[in-house]
Amino acid sequence: MTATPTTGVALAARALRKEYGAGQSRVVALDGVDLDLAAARFTAVMGPSGSGKSTLLHCLAGLDRPTAGAVHIGDADLTRLDDRRLTRLRRDRIGFVFQKFNLLPTLTAEENIVLPLAIAGRRPDATWLRQVVAAVGLTDRLGHRPAELSGGQQQRVAVARALITRPWVIFADEPTGNLDSRSGAEVLRLLREAVDTLGQTVVMVTHDPAAAAHADRVVFLADGRLVDELHEPTVGDVRDALSRLDPAAAPAGR
Ligand SMILES: Nc1ncnc2c1ncn2[C@@H]1O[C@H](COP(=O)(O)OP(=O)(O)O)[C@@H](O)[C@H]1O
Ligand SMILES: [Mg+2]
């Protein structure tokens, strides 16, 4: 196994295009996106509803296939892999955190965390598992099933599951969208810490300026195109950029 790259470019998207449907009902969700993501950095993706954020994340993570363009991640071009190799690369090299946690209800927290390894027929490294579990603060909850955990705890299980394979990139789509602000802040702190202490590369979609301000860089989508970006922004910087993007939207509050 090659090590997780912690310098240089972790991911490069080129001329990424995604169309849904055909004819009259055709929707261009991504309209030529070029994006380089630095390794060991935290990037947030923002933009109005329907601007293509989830589509972009799904195409970058190999959960969906773009209509055209390339996604280079590690030493692979996702768009050139057949389904079997894409599935394997996703399992071994990519972590994903969803808004709705997506844990398996019949498995314990620990079984959920090690699931990507179990599917690959690999045994977890005990030290790494202990470290990940401690980092997400779940040491005394490992035997609990998702229904016995709060939303914040469930999302921390999902973050641990994403970290366990030491993936090239962790993608998170509105990971705090179903959480109260305190649990949300905890999950953001975890993602930030994964970047700072483990050199993990993280990409997160959010509509929350306070969440985006945890990132090193924020890129803004509108109508399927990248239209703006900020580096090390404050919450105020993010709000200003959003209102430039969508002057009709309320300027503050969320
Ligand atoms: N499976 C799909 N079929 C048809 N259109 C879709 C599908 N998924 C997304 N879209 C459309 O693509 C555009 C971008 O959607 P999405 O990526 O979900 O935006 P966002 O996450 O920024 O709200 C929207 O116009 C949406 O309606
Ligand atoms: Mg979305």
Side-chain angles (χ1 to χ4, degrees):
M1 279 208 1
T2 50
T4 303
T6 54
T7 57
V9 174
L11 183 154
R14 290 291 173 266
L16 212 55
R17 183 174 183 83
K18 178 68 178 180
E19 299 172 4
Y20 292 108
Q24 292 280 23
S25 63
R26 190 179 72 136
V27 173
V28 180
L30 296 177
D31 188 11
V33 171
D34 289 294
L35 180 63
D36 280 8
L37 295 178
R41 290 288 183 275
F42 190 174
T43 304
V45 179
M46 301 192 86
S49 179
S51 59
K53 302 180 297 295
S54 292
T55 302
L56 175 63
L57 215 65
H58 291 176
C59 288
L60 297 182
L63 290 168
D64 201 352
R65 288 194 183 269
T67 308
V71 177
H72 300 279
I73 183 165
D75 49 16
D77 176 354
L78 295 191
T79 58
R80 290 174 173 274
L81 298 179
D82 61 31
D83 285 349
R84 190 180 56 85
R85 288 164 70 204
L86 182 61
T87 300
R88 198 171 60 203
L89 182 136
R90 222 168 40 214
R91 182 192 72 203
D92 296 341
R93 299 303 199 179
I94 288 171
F96 212 102
V97 179
F98 299 89
Q99 181 172 351
K100 292 184 177 164
F101 321 141
N102 283 26
L103 303 178
L104 291 187
T106 58
L107 300 184
T108 65
E110 179 168 5
E111 289 164 346
N112 269 287
I113 292 168
V114 301
L115 188 63
L117 298 174
I119 292 172
R122 286 160 56 198
R123 294 169 64 87
D125 175 281
T127 309
W128 178 238
L129 175 60
R130 211 162 37 238
Q131 231 175 301
V132 166
V133 166
V136 299
L138 289 167
T139 304
D140 57 355
R141 291 287 186 280
L142 285 178
H144 293 238
R145 290 180 212 289
E148 300 163 344
L149 298 170
S150 70
Q153 289 168 336
Q154 289 183 60
Q155 196 62 308
R156 287 188 275 136
V157 171
V159 171
R161 180 182 59 186
L163 283 167
I164 198 72
T165 58
R166 306 179 198 245
W168 281 335
V169 183
I170 290 180
F171 296 93
D173 194 354
E174 303 266 8
T176 61
N178 271 3
L179 301 178
D180 60 68
S181 59
R182 191 162 150 225
S183 305
E186 183 69 13
V187 165
L188 291 165
R189 191 190 59 72
L190 280 175
L191 293 173
R192 182 71 251 176
E193 196 176 278
V195 174
D196 292 340
T197 66
L198 307 173
Q200 180 66 58
T201 305
V202 175
V203 186
M204 170 182 74
V205 166
T206 184
H207 64 256
D208 177 6
H214 285 74
D216 299 302
R217 177 188 183 200
V218 185
V219 299
F220 294 87
L221 271 177
D223 296 327
R225 294 181 197 178
L226 287 177
V227 293
D228 199 359
E229 69 173 283
L230 298 170
H231 292 266
E232 293 174 26
T234 64
V235 180
D237 297 337
V238 176
R239 287 211 176 101
D240 290 348
L242 283 174
S243 54
R244 283 197 298 275
L245 209 65
D246 189 3
R254 51 191 287 178

